[in-house]
Structures are given as C-alpha cells and as structure tokens.
Amino acid sequence: MVMLFPMMGGEITPIVVGFAIGFLFGTQVYSNVSRRTVVMIICLCIVGASLFQAPVFTWSLIGGYITDGLSFAAPFISATIGILLGWAVRGGK
Amino acid sequence: MIELTLQFLSFMASALLILIGIAGMLFLDNLIKKIIAFTLLSDGVNLALVSLGYFEGGVVAILTPGTSVAEFPQNAVLIFGPGIVLTNIVIGVSTTAVLVALTMVLYKRYGTLKASKVLKGERK
Amino acid sequence: MIDAVMTVAYIMVIGVAVGAVAALLQKDLLRAVFLSGAESIALAFIFQALLAPDLGLTQAIVGTVLLPGIIILGIFKTRRKDEDD
Amino acid sequence: MEMKELRGSRGVLAAVALLIIFIGVTVAFVQLNGNVARGISPEYNRLAHLQQPNSLSAWVYDWRGFDTLIETGVIYVGAVVSVLVIGRGLVRMKQVEGEEPVPQTSLDLKIGSVNAILKYFIFPLVILLAAYGILIVTGAATSGGGGFQCGVVVASAYLIGAVFFGKKNPLNFRRKFLIAIGSFGWALYALLGLPGYLVTGYWQYNVGTDLWSSIAGFPAQIPSILHTIFGDPYRLALVLKGGTFYSTAGIVPLINIGEAFNVIGAICLIFLVFIYGWSDTEEAKA
C-alpha cells in the first residue's frame, strides 16, 4: 500500500459510478425469480470479481486489491448490487 | 524473398477477405449473403489497418504498472490504425442493421430474397 | 521464434480465409451466419496477436453476438433457405 | 446477378476484373509490409510522461474527438433509420400508402424444451453481463475498453434475454427509456466539448489532463477550477519503472459514459424494433 490518499479518488469514483449506472439499469429489470437465485447471483458475482481481478493501477484495499494474484474487481460487485437494488426498488415482477 | 511474418500473412489474409467480399457482393444472388459478404469486406479492411502498425517485438500501447517510461514510446505499436478501426466497427454495425431492415422491407414487397427477381420488379 | 500465441495466430490466419469462403458457399443461411461468426472469432485472435487487445474484445463481441444476431433476426422475418429455382 | 448469367464471356470478364483488383490490393500490401515507421508519433514521444494511462483513448479523445462524435451520431442515425424502415413511418408514406407495414409478430423462439434449468442460469448470466459492461466502462480510462465496448456488452445481454425469454425479457428496456438514455448520452458527449472550447478554442480538449499547456505557444492556460472539477475524482498514481507519476484521465471517463449510454440506447433500440416491432400494443402492455 503506497500512499493511500492521492489514489483514493481514482478508486472510489468507479465504484460509485458503477453503482449509479447499475441502479439505473436495475429499474428496468422485470422478472419473478426466487430469493435463492438472488443469493446465487451474488455468489457468482464475487467469484467473477476475483476472476476479473482489480483494475490496473489499483493499489489499496478500497479498490479491491489484497495481494498479488488475489484481488477483486470492486466496480463489478457494486454494479451487481446496484442492479439488484434498483430491481428491488423500482423494478417489477 | 518475402519472409512469412505474421504481418505479411495478415496482409495476405486481408487481401483475400477483400477479394471474397467484393466477389460475394457482386456475384451472389441472395440479399442476406450479400450482407454477409459486406461484413467480410469490412473485416478485411479492418485487418489491414490493424496489421499496419504491428512489428516484431513490440508492446501493447497501454501503460501498465512497471513499464519503463523511456522505452515505451519506441516499443509501442502504431496506435493510429486501431483508433480508426474502432470507428469502423461501429459504423459497420449500424450499416448492417439498416441493410437488414431494408432487406426485410424488400422481402415484404416482393416475397423473395433473390436480387435478380427484385430487380425485375415482380410484385408478390 | 515460435511460441504458442504465434502458432495460434498462424492457424487463425488460415481459419479466417477458410471460414470466409465456407460461409458464402452455404445453401442454409443460418449456417452461413454461424460460419461468419467463427471467422470473426479467428479475427479477434489475430487482433490479440497483433497487439490490439481492446480491438480483440470488441471484435469478439460484435462479430459473434451483435452482427449474427441482427442478421439472424432478419432471417427469421424472411426465409431461411437460399431458394434455387 | 444470377449464377447462370456468369457463364461465357461475362464470366471471363468478371474473373479478369477480380484478378486485377486482387493483384492491385496485394501489391499495395506487399509494399507496405515492414515499411511503416515505428513508435507512436513524435508528439507522443515528447509527452509520454505527461500522458494518461490508456494512450488509445488519449488519441481518440484528444485528437480525434470529432471522429468519435460523428461515430456516435452514425450509430444513432442507424437506429432511427431502422425504426423508420421497420416500424410505421417511412413504409406508410405516400406512394406505398395502401400497404401494411412489415408483419409485427414478435419473435417467439420455441427452443423446444428450454427447460427450467436453462432459464435458471440465463437470468444470472444476463445480470452479470450487464454488470460486466458497467465494469468495462468504469475502468475504461485505465485499461483497454471504453464506451462502445460497454454498449455492445449490455446490448448482447439484452439480446440473450430476448432470445431465451421472449416477451418476458428480464432486462426489459422500454422504448422511452432507451430513447432517453441514447439522447442523454449523445448530448453528454457533445456538450463535454464545451469547457475545452471556451478555454482553449479546441472542441473536446481534454481539460483535466491538460496535455498541451507545457508546449510553448499554446494559446491559453486552463483555470485550475476546471482541473478540480474534471480531473480530481479520477486521480491515479502510476507506478512505472521510472518512478511514481500522478495522473488523471480528465474528461475521458465522463465522455466514455456518454458514449456508452448512446450506444446502449441505439443498439438496444435496433434489437427492440427488430424483435418486437414498433407497434403501440407493446407500449400499452408494458
């Protein structure tokens, strides 16, 4: 972890933007799947985030970087959560 | 004697694709196949533009952690071709969509996909 | 110097040409579209080998999902076989 | 042209013409082979240490912003023309008045027994594909990818949902929503050129990064307030071999978002009108 502060902007902004866009798309989701599927989506999303790795030039824990070889794409997780939340708030069955 | 590098082979493949595309657009009778030939032609042009900038031992023109700043500009491949090709792909998609839509209208009017019958103008 | 990526790229150069010819020789239009999608995948591999990875990503998605999708939707609204009469 | 017309002299002429084209193209390519100058450009060589990470997007947006602006326009025009041709409108104009529009039957792909298991996995796939598209557009300034890639990924998620679920598409983009985000995206893309134009006189000048201020003779200096607005949220540290550089992508991420919205709107509109048509019943149902 090199010098946390100056980089925080570049790591937090994608997460927030991803959440916002995900929420926007989530309001258009219409489906009537069970709660089990939602849990499965979240698990698959975390697995996928570890597959995609953190974006390049991400060096702190906020961006999902843990060690070399183990890192999570934080915007992916926040986008998935945004879609699910938007579905819960404004979407339909 | 020309060396069979990847760049040379890509140029040959793109020349072949352009030839196939032109021949298909001119000589095939089916409208859908003409559209497929059109996508092949644009693929060939894209391949030619991309292989323009490649050279042996180059690096991808994106800065990644640990790159040497001094050597990067000399080693990176020419970025000009890919910049154009990205636009080209987009335009290809929208053109194809318009072509398919027009084909559907032609089929509705003439009941056939053969260009020769459409040109004769026999309504269904 | 021949490594794995280059070998795959050389194979894919042949695959592009073969796929393009085979796509236009089909009687079944759906099969022609799928073959042109295979040609696009090979082209995406060549883009990767030519050091343009974002173009490879774009070409892989556009060539296998978008363009065949549009053309297949057109085929569903018209007719599938190339008429021969 | 039919195949049987090609027998005889016309066929020979066609073959000769194709041969001439092929020889011309091949000779041109052989001359080009290996004779292209290396490196990116003299300007880039001078400015590499001031550059933002993804040099492709730097090229596209600093130099060729107009080109991509027109490209976003082209894809939107493509969507509009598809709507006009397939839906009502162009087809029902004047001289073809008595004609009904193209049949508006929805695409009902009966994939036999697409059973519950398939649908059980297709819904997560659609959601995760859309999230992947968002990941691409948020990381666009630091890696390969960008607005158009995000747009096509989300559009393919929409297509997959439409093919497997028919009218009960989980990613059920409405017409009005698509038109809204498409227009918003294009407006965002075009209007983000304004700050650069007001300050330096170049439309779509990359304000946050401010590449050219260090060059002698550049017309204007950027006020620092613009740097703060456009640059700071995307501030990054590049740990390269020569040391650590602090850099920002400027307005490139915002422009990417605009282009992504535009492409999503346009391509999903094309798919929507191809699959469901543009009839009024669709809107009444939803």
Side-chain angles (χ1 to χ4, degrees):
Chain A
M1 274 207 275
V2 222
M3 281 184 67
L4 190 65
F5 179 68
M7 291 166 286
M8 264 167 58
E11 295 177 3
I12 290 176
T13 316
I15 299 177
V16 176
V17 169
F19 181 80
I21 301 178
F23 191 87
L24 184 64
F25 291 165
T27 57
Q28 300 292 313
V29 173
Y30 280 77
S31 183
N32 50 353
V33 293
S34 60
R35 192 172 294 168
R36 244 183 340 173
T37 315
V38 176
V39 175
M40 193 175 93
I41 288 175
I42 293 175
C43 297
L44 279 178
C45 144
I46 292 172
V47 173
S50 70
L51 281 181
F52 293 140
Q53 299 279 328
V56 232
F57 302 118
T58 300
W59 297 99
S60 73
L61 208 58
I62 304 166
Y65 179 84
I66 297 174
T67 58
D68 271 340
L70 178 64
S71 54
F72 293 94
F76 186 69
I77 298 177
S78 78
T80 313
I81 292 174
I83 289 179
L84 293 177
L85 267 185
W87 176 33
V89 173
R90 281 289 308 275
K93 294 273 178 187
Chain B
M1 183 62 199
I2 297 167
E3 202 181 345
L4 283 183
T5 56
L6 179 60
Q7 189 183 23
F8 179 73
L9 281 182
S10 325
F11 271 136
M12 287 306 105
S14 76
L16 209 60
L17 275 178
I18 290 173
L19 179 77
I20 292 169
I22 289 178
M25 282 174 77
L26 285 180
F27 300 131
L28 287 180
D29 202 18
N30 195 305
L31 288 174
I32 299 272
K33 274 195 189 171
K34 276 181 195 287
I35 296 174
I36 296 175
F38 167 75
T39 63
L40 293 181
L41 174 61
S42 91
D43 279 352
V45 176
N46 290 348
L47 183 54
L49 280 173
V50 172
S51 50
L52 206 63
Y54 173 81
F55 58 88
E56 294 275 339
V59 297
V60 180
I62 294 176
L63 285 174
T64 44
T67 321
S68 163
V69 180
E71 296 167 7
F72 175 73
Q74 277 81 40
N75 286 335
V77 294
L78 188 72
I79 207 63
F80 195 60
I84 299 174
V85 168
L86 207 59
T87 308
N88 213 350
I89 290 176
V90 177
I91 292 174
V93 170
S94 50
T95 316
T96 311
V98 172
L99 284 177
V100 172
L102 287 174
T103 305
M104 280 151 68
V105 173
L106 279 180
Y107 184 79
K108 170 74 175 126
R109 283 184 81 160
Y110 296 102
T112 181
L113 278 181
K114 300 187 77 160
S116 50
K117 281 189 184 174
V118 171
L119 280 178
K120 278 176 200 154
E122 298 161 356
R123 291 289 198 92
K124 190 172 70 174
Chain C
M1 186 193 84
I2 292 180
D3 53 353
V5 178
M6 283 303 150
T7 316
V8 171
Y10 285 129
I11 295 172
M12 289 300 167
V13 168
I14 300 168
V16 164
V18 172
V21 174
L24 292 185
L25 289 182
Q26 298 295 319
K27 277 276 180 249
D28 190 348
L29 290 179
L30 268 187
R31 208 174 287 168
V33 174
F34 288 140
L35 276 172
S36 79
E39 179 262 340
S40 262
I41 278 282
L43 199 65
F45 270 103
I46 298 178
F47 282 169
Q48 290 277 353
L50 288 176
L51 303 177
D54 38 2
L55 276 184
L57 173 71
T58 314
Q59 180 68 35
I61 300 166
V62 168
T64 51
V65 181
L66 281 189
L67 286 179
I70 291 174
I71 299 178
I72 284 173
L73 290 177
I75 289 173
F76 273 124
K77 294 243 170 153
T78 54
R79 73 165 68 202
R80 185 175 163 180
K81 296 283 178 188
D82 191 358
E83 62 243 81
D84 222 3
D85 43 316
Chain D
M1 189 183 293
E2 282 187 84
M3 266 307 177
K4 60 177 177 251
E5 287 180 19
L6 282 180
R7 291 182 191 134
S9 58
R10 299 178 86 176
V12 175
L13 272 181
V16 169
L18 279 182
L19 198 67
I20 290 173
I21 292 174
F22 184 65
I23 289 175
V25 171
T26 315
V27 167
F29 284 165
V30 167
Q31 285 172 351
L32 275 179
N33 183 24
N35 288 332
V36 181
R38 291 189 171 198
I40 295 178
S41 73
E43 293 89 356
Y44 191 86
N45 289 355
R46 274 178 68 189
L47 293 164
H49 60 286
L50 299 170
Q51 188 62 280
Q52 49 151 329
N54 186 350
S55 57
L56 177 62
S57 50
W59 262 86
V60 169
Y61 294 120
D62 286 342
W63 283 84
R64 301 178 56 246
F66 286 117
D67 202 11
T68 312
L69 179 65
I70 300 303
E71 157 195 323
T72 51
V74 161
I75 195 159
Y76 208 62
V77 168
V80 169
V81 171
S82 298
V83 168
L84 285 179
V85 169
I86 290 181
R88 55 178 183 204
L90 200 66
V91 189
R92 274 199 204 159
M93 273 186 192
K94 301 170 201 165
Q95 65 228 60
V96 272
E97 219 157 45
E99 199 162 350
E100 305 118 33
V102 178
Q104 305 273 338
T105 52
S106 69
L107 176 75
D108 208 2
L109 266 185
K110 296 229 168 35
I111 314 191
S113 51
V114 172
N115 32 31
I117 295 178
L118 196 49
K119 287 197 174 184
Y120 194 72
F121 281 108
I122 291 299
F123 178 69
L125 177 69
V126 169
I127 297 292
L128 291 180
L129 260 184
Y132 178 55
I134 297 171
L135 169 68
I136 288 178
V137 76
T138 52
T142 52
S143 65
F148 179 67
Q149 283 86 344
C150 160
V152 293
V153 168
V154 175
S156 51
Y158 178 78
L159 179 65
I160 288 173
V163 163
F164 281 99
F165 287 87
K167 283 202 168 183
K168 293 178 199 152
N169 189 352
L171 210 59
N172 194 0
F173 288 144
R174 306 263 183 76
R175 274 174 6 194
K176 277 181 183 167
F177 178 78
L178 289 178
I179 293 173
I181 66 169
S183 315
F184 171 74
W186 197 17
L188 182 63
Y189 189 103
L191 289 182
L192 271 176
L194 204 55
Y197 180 73
L198 288 180
V199 178
T200 65
Y202 295 104
W203 193 264
Q204 288 184 339
Y205 179 79
N206 197 350
V207 172
T209 309
D210 202 7
L211 271 178
W212 297 96
S213 295
S214 57
I215 304 292
F218 190 75
Q221 290 293 320
I222 313 285
S224 59
I225 176 78
L226 283 178
H227 287 288
T228 317
I229 292 174
F230 289 110
D232 273 348
Y234 294 96
R235 194 167 176 80
L236 279 171
L238 318 182
V239 185
L240 304 181
K241 205 180 269 178
T244 303
F245 297 91
Y246 293 101
S247 169
T248 134
I251 61 172
V252 169
L254 294 172
I255 277 182
N256 269 323
I257 290 171
E259 194 188 348
F261 274 18
N262 182 11
V263 171
I264 290 170
I267 295 185
C268 289
L269 203 61
I270 288 175
F271 279 137
L272 184 140
V273 79
F274 271 31
I275 294 173
Y276 303 121
W278 192 257
S279 54
D280 289 334
T281 55
E282 192 65 30
E283 191 72 2
K285 185 199 67 105

